[in-house]
Every structure is written in C-alpha cells, then in structure tokens.
Amino acid sequence: MDYSWDFGPVLSRFDMLALGLLNTVKIAMVSIVLGIIVGLVLVMMRLSPRKWLAWPAAVFIEFYRNTPPIVHFFWFFYALPVLLAISLNPYVAAVLALSTQSGAFYAEVFRGGIVSIERGQWEGGKALGMTHSALMTRVIVPQAISRMVPPFIERSFELLKTTALASTLAYADLLYQAMLVNSETFRPLEVYTTIALMYLVLLVTASQLARMAETRLTAYQ
Amino acid sequence: MNTQPILEVKGLHKSFADHHVLKGIDFSVKPGERVAIIGGSGSGKSTFLRCLNFMETLSEGEIWVDNERIGVEKNGRITYPEKQLCSVRERLGMVFQQFNLFPHMTVLQNVMEGLITVKGYTKQDAHAVAVRELAKVGLSEKHDAWPGRLSGGQQQRVAIARALSMEPEVLLFDEPTSSLDPELVGEVLRVINQLAEEGRTMLLVTHELGFAYHFATKVIFLADGVFHEVGTPDEVLKNPKKPRTQEFLRRFSEFAF
Amino acid sequence: MNYVPDFTIVTDNWIVLLRGLWVTIQIWLPSIIMGLCFGFAIAQARLSERKWLSRSTLVYVELFRDTPVLIQLIWFYYAFPILIGMQLSPFAAAMLGLTLNTSAYASEIFRGGIKSIHRGQMEGAKAIGMTHAQAMRRVILPQVIKRMLPALTNRTIEVAKMSSLASVISVHELMYQGRLLSSTYYRPFEILTAVAFIYFILIYPGTFLAGRLEKYLARSN
C-alpha cells in the first residue's frame, strides 16, 4: 500500500459536489411529497370495499415492491416515452420512478397503521353512534398516524438512498457529479470516498432529524 | 308494568363460520328493568349483548327498538343502513370489558367526543355535560389525564361516564369488571349500583353473581345458545329449577367461605 | 398512443435474458449466504462486552446502512482496487459489495433476535433443570430463528433487488442484458417491461413466503 492520497484536486472541485448534494436533497424532497400523494390515493383504493378499485391498487403495489428500482428508472426514462411518443428529461423520469415506488411502499405503511388499530377502538366509537367517516377522522386515523411515523421514516430513508440511481439517467445528483469530478481528476479513490462520507453525513443528519420528529409525533404514548 | 318494551328481540340466531352460538332467542326489555345475564364462558352471553347494538351482525332474527324494526328489506335481504345503526347505538349505550377509551384524547375529551360528533353539541354544552357525568362517577380530578395513566377501575368509570353522557335509553354492560384487579371491582360496581337506584334500564353480562343478585330485577341463565332459565334473582340464583343451572351455581360456590 | 408493442423481440432474444438471469442468481445467492454467515459473526462482535469491539462493528454496520448501495458497489469497483493495488473484476467487486452490505443488515437482525428473547424463557428452562446449553438449543434458538425468519427472508428479497445495480459496473446480469438489448434493437418498452416481469417472478415468491411466515408466526404466538 504505497498509494499516496491526494484530496487536493477533489476538494478544489467541491462546488461541483455541493451542487450534486443539493440536487440529491431536492429530488428526494419532491419525491417524498409526491410519494405521499400517490400513497394516499393507493391506500384509499386498496381499502375500498369496491373490488374494481381495490384490485388494481393491490397489483400496482405488489408489482412495485417486487421489482428492483433501477428497472423503474430505466422504464420511465426509456420505455414510457416510446409508448406515449413524448420525451422526458432525466429529472422528471427519476421523480416519476421515485415517487411511484415510494408511493407503493407508503400505501402499505398507511394501511399497516390503520389495520393495526385494535377492534375495540372501532367498537368504542360505534357504540357511541359515530358514523364510519367520523370514526375514521376522529378516532382511527389520529392514532394510526403515530404508528405510521417510524415505518414512514424508514421508507423515506430508503428513498433518500435510492436517489443515487438518478445518476444512471445522467441527472446531476451527487453521484453523477462525482463521476464528472472523477473524469477530470482521475482520482476515483478520493472522489468516491469523499461522496460516500457526504452521503453518510446527509443520511445520519436526516435520521437524527427524523428521530426528533418521531418523539414529537408519538408523544402521548 | 304494562308499558311497551323499549327493546325487543325475535328469533335471534348468530353463527361464526360454522359455530352456531345463539340458537333462537326471544327477549324484551321494559323501561326500568335491570337484567343480569349469566352463563359459562363461551356460552354466547357477550355475543348476545353485542348483537343488540349491532356490534355483531345477526345471522337471523329481528331487533326492535321503540317499536321500530331495525334494518331495511331490499330484494328479500335485510340490510342495515349506517344512519339507522348509528341512531340505535346512540340510544343504547355500551360499556365494554376492555373499556375501549380513546388513548389519544384526555378523559374529558373522551366524554365530550360523542356529544360533539354524534349529537352535534357545541363545545361549551358538551363540556358542561362531560363535567357533570365525570363528577357522578367520582372522577372530577382527572379531567385532563390520559386514559393510559389511569387505573383499570378509573378507566372503566370514564367509559361509564362516556356512555351516560349520551343519555341512552338502555345501558349495556359487557362484563364491565372482568378485566379489573379484584380490589378495583368494587368502585365500578358501586357506580353501576348508583345507576340502578336512579331507575335506569340496564342489561348486565357478568360473572359477579352476588352483585347480580342484588342488582337485577330479572336474571337470565344462558347455556347452549338459548335462555335456559329465566326468572327473578331469587328464582334463578337461590332456587334454580333446572339441573344445568344448579350445576353452574354449584361450581361458583365451591370455594365460598 | 399509436405505438404498437411487438414482444417477439423478447421471445427472439430469450436466451440472452436467460443468461443474464443466471448471472443474477450467481451474484444473489452466494452474496446472501456469505453475508448471513459473516453477519452472524458481526452480531457476536456487536454484542461483545469489549467496548472497542462492539464500537468498531457498530461503525462498520452504520457505514453500510447509511450510504447508498450503488455508492458501495462503485467504491469497491473503482476506488478499492487502488487501495489494495489489485484490479477487481466487476463480478468480484459486486460480490464483495453485496456480501458486506448484507452482513451489516443481517447482523442487526441477528442482534435483535438474540436480544428479544424474554428472560423468563431462560428461567423457565433452568427451573426444570436444563443446562445453559440445553436451554439455548432446545428453548431459545428455536424461538429466535422462528422470530428472525421473516426479516431474513425480506433481506434475501432486498439482495435480489440490489443485485440489479451490478449492471452499473457492467456485470452481465439480467438488467445489464436488458439495457444492452433495448439499445441494440431500440425496443426499450418491450424489453424493459419483460425484464421487470422476470424480476417480479424471481422476487415475488420470497415476498409471498415472508408474508405467510409473518402471519403464521403472529398466530402461533
């Protein structure tokens, strides 16, 4: 091991990496928000007593949970545009892939929270004469939310890591910017070690923030 | 008493999958009656009570509340519109074995909840009623406590206050003391007794035979999915006629002192 | 939407996809098996009384859990060889990355399983005169293994999905072959959809099994 480390060339291009980091955070935030919307729609369909609504949602969710994310990225970037005769830029394709995938997982998180509420809670509300919708909004969902928080955070954490795949579509996220820096400096060890540490800091910070939010949101238990 | 029954049951059957729990029950309750329902575990006494306010759907039979048949006939099948069920449940208050308080609401909020969402009271009015009912069950000091922080006996008293606040015509008690520590049973029974003195109409499923004797105007022994023996407390609990009832009571008094 | 899909492109090239699938399986199974073994050892170190040992394994575990897998694969392919002064084949780099990643996650599953045993179980076994070893073998381990099975099955599924990332460092597995075919024939819709289905068929039985196991265990407890 006589390799001499030299972070100089990499650090002098740190602005490129910073831009990548910013884009990674941006795409993650947008996809989480859109994913929540997709997840809410899916879970409402999935829990509906109407079979023609519940079924497609179940198939969609299972399909997404059982295929690798990279396939979704390529499918949205290369296959969907051919099918619809449109063109999608890497950012849009990556957001579509991330938000539909996380939506499928979020839907399961939401469903898990709702079905985890004990039967007694439903009965307690019913016995007072509450309607299904009043019971849902006043009793079930408020309790379910606090149970959804930990798996929701875990899922969002996974999403944040999955954003690195956007680089394969040439979206300028942290990994893609690192590849650019590498092609200019030919210092792969330093470049990839640097961004690994940057991801580590990003993810550890995110998980600390999430833990703080979690204790807030689950206070009454 | 020649008054009309508040609640009437005709030919009630209930099955879970292939397990036939209730096998044809006819029953009615008049205002001011207090009925204790006793029987072995698994005899279907809780199921019977839970059918009355449609916590369980009937497999067969009719339920009448205030001379109104519950359910609507549609293409030869009975359906139960949510609106009608809600109004039935509003009139029949229920107290559960496991309390079923809402853990994310304070004691006061628990009692106010039905008044606001079901009866459409304003917050102030609901607050006034809740304060009154909590005072009645002796929990005025616990308004802002979370249910999870209370003892079982206190939780059950909150649950009673919650049911009372709705001013139900009939109160259904489903083994209200069965999940309590023995030393907490008394405080709950005292509250129930106090309601009896007010002349409220009540149905009580219980294992506390001593309490049932003092409390009830009528006792029902349920076995094999039918009313095996029905009568006054003295008839059923002191001088049972049927061997099955005698056997059941003997097992209860085996270790009496 | 007047695009006419033509799936003969998939059936004509099924042998290429099949070859890719075979490579996928060759990365997937060995890395999950080695990862589990290595993970078991790491769990022991994590539970060790020696502070330095449990601390350093904690760092190891968090490094792998708090950075994207794709970064790990890229690091092992482009950066690690420089450090050790030896070229790694894409296959070897992918295998190394996935094995170590699996070991980090698996060690947490093992640790959780071992810690979750109720003390009463050990006391109960000793009260009827069992030795520590007997109690471990006949009472504790059967429960731990049972309890960990769903999580381990889920991990196996995740590794199958992760293996698709090896395509980025040009391991000729299923996703790689799919990308190659779709750019050669310019039929991305048919080929990428087919690839997604193949992954689904590969992964879904595992998800199904994990779900069944979870239900079964919930009932048996």
Side-chain angles (χ1 to χ4, degrees), chain A residues 149-199:
Chain A
V149 169
F152 175 84
I153 287 172
E154 199 185 310
R155 249 312 123 194
S156 308
F157 199 70
E158 286 303 312
L159 179 140
L160 187 50
K161 289 193 265 180
T162 311
T163 58
L165 298 186
S167 66
T168 59
L169 308 183
Y171 172 68
D173 77 330
L174 183 52
L175 177 54
Y176 184 80
Q177 293 294 92
M179 290 169 171
L180 285 187
V181 172
N182 184 40
S183 66
E184 288 177 16
T185 60
F186 303 104
R187 287 260 165 206
L189 180 58
E190 288 84 347
V191 176
Y192 292 125
T193 305
T194 304
I195 64 152
L197 290 175
M198 288 171 77
Y199 271 112

Side-chain angles (χ1 to χ4, degrees), chain B residues 95-96 99 101 107 111 133-140 142 150-164 173 176 180 184-192 194-195:
Chain B
V95 174
F96 298 87
F99 332 131
L101 294 175
V107 164
V111 183
E133 299 300 342
L134 283 169
K136 193 181 225 168
V137 298
L139 287 173
S140 294
K142 298 288 182 187
L150 301 182
S151 74
Q154 290 171 328
Q155 289 191 51
Q156 192 59 298
R157 286 190 280 149
V158 176
I160 293 172
R162 184 173 72 174
L164 282 179
F173 289 91
L180 299 179
L184 302 177
V185 169
E187 62 185 73
V188 173
L189 293 183
R190 262 194 299 284
V191 170
I192 298 176
Q194 178 191 331
L195 300 176

Side-chain angles (χ1 to χ4, degrees), chain A residues 103-162:
Chain A
F105 279 101
Y106 286 156
E108 284 298 280
V109 168
F110 299 154
R111 191 172 73 97
I114 287 170
V115 301
S116 77
I117 302 298
E118 302 76 18
R119 208 178 56 167
Q121 289 297 307
W122 292 90
E123 292 184 348
K126 272 195 212 163
L128 288 176
M130 292 170 86
T131 60
H132 182 82
S133 59
L135 192 50
M136 256 313 196
T137 53
R138 309 266 316 173
V139 178
I140 304 300
V141 170
Q143 292 185 65
I145 284 176
S146 61
R147 297 194 194 176
M148 292 170 191
V149 169
F152 175 84
I153 287 172
E154 199 185 310
R155 249 312 123 194
S156 308
F157 199 70
E158 286 303 312
L159 179 140
L160 187 50
K161 289 193 265 180
T162 311

Side-chain angles (χ1 to χ4, degrees), chain A residues 9-23:
Chain A
V10 175
L11 292 180
S12 69
R13 289 169 180 79
F14 194 77
D15 55 330
M16 291 172 75
L17 297 181
L19 176 70
L21 184 67
L22 213 65
N23 281 336

Side-chain angles (χ1 to χ4, degrees), chain A residues 1 3 5 62 65-68 70-71 74-75 78-79 82 157 161 164-165 175 188-189 193 196 199 203-204, chain C residues 3 65-68 70-71 75 79 82-83 105 161 164-165 175 179 188-189 192-193 196 199-200 203-204 207:
Chain A
M1 272 216 280
Y3 181 77
W5 293 75
E62 282 309 308
R65 278 158 38 100
N66 290 287
T67 44
I70 195 169
V71 179
F74 278 83
W75 197 89
Y78 294 106
V82 171
F157 199 70
K161 289 193 265 180
L165 298 186
L175 177 54
L189 180 58
T193 305
Y199 271 112
L203 283 152
V204 169
Chain C
Y3 179 74
R65 280 159 40 106
D66 293 350
T67 50
L70 184 55
I71 305 296
W75 194 87
I82 296 172
L83 202 61
Y105 279 93
K161 288 198 240 170
S164 64
L165 298 181
M175 186 65 202
R179 284 165 67 179
F189 173 72
L192 291 174
T193 305
Y199 272 115
F200 182 80
I203 293 167
Y204 186 70
T207 309

Side-chain angles (χ1 to χ4, degrees), chain C residues 69-143:
Chain C
V69 206
L70 184 55
I71 305 296
Q72 294 160 21
L73 296 190
I74 285 178
W75 194 87
F76 277 109
Y77 185 54
Y78 293 105
F80 188 59
I82 296 172
L83 202 61
I84 58 171
M86 185 181 86
Q87 197 56 47
L88 284 182
S89 71
F91 186 83
M95 188 78 96
L96 187 60
L98 289 178
T99 300
L100 298 186
N101 179 283
T102 305
S103 73
Y105 279 93
S107 75
E108 284 297 279
I109 298 172
F110 289 125
R111 192 175 69 99
I114 293 167
K115 279 183 71 176
S116 75
I117 312 159
H118 195 262
R119 215 182 44 189
Q121 289 298 312
M122 187 53 105
E123 287 175 356
K126 286 193 173 158
I128 59 167
M130 284 191 184
T131 65
H132 185 87
Q134 279 172 327
M136 211 48 178
R137 208 176 57 237
R138 311 226 7 121
V139 179
I140 308 298
L141 279 182
Q143 295 185 50

Side-chain angles (χ1 to χ4, degrees), chain B residues 109-125:
Chain B
Q109 286 167 339
N110 261 282
V111 183
M112 289 165 64
E113 182 61 23
L115 295 170
I116 293 170
T117 55
V118 178
K119 286 205 186 288
Y121 279 29
T122 63
K123 264 202 163 157
Q124 287 89 334
D125 291 348

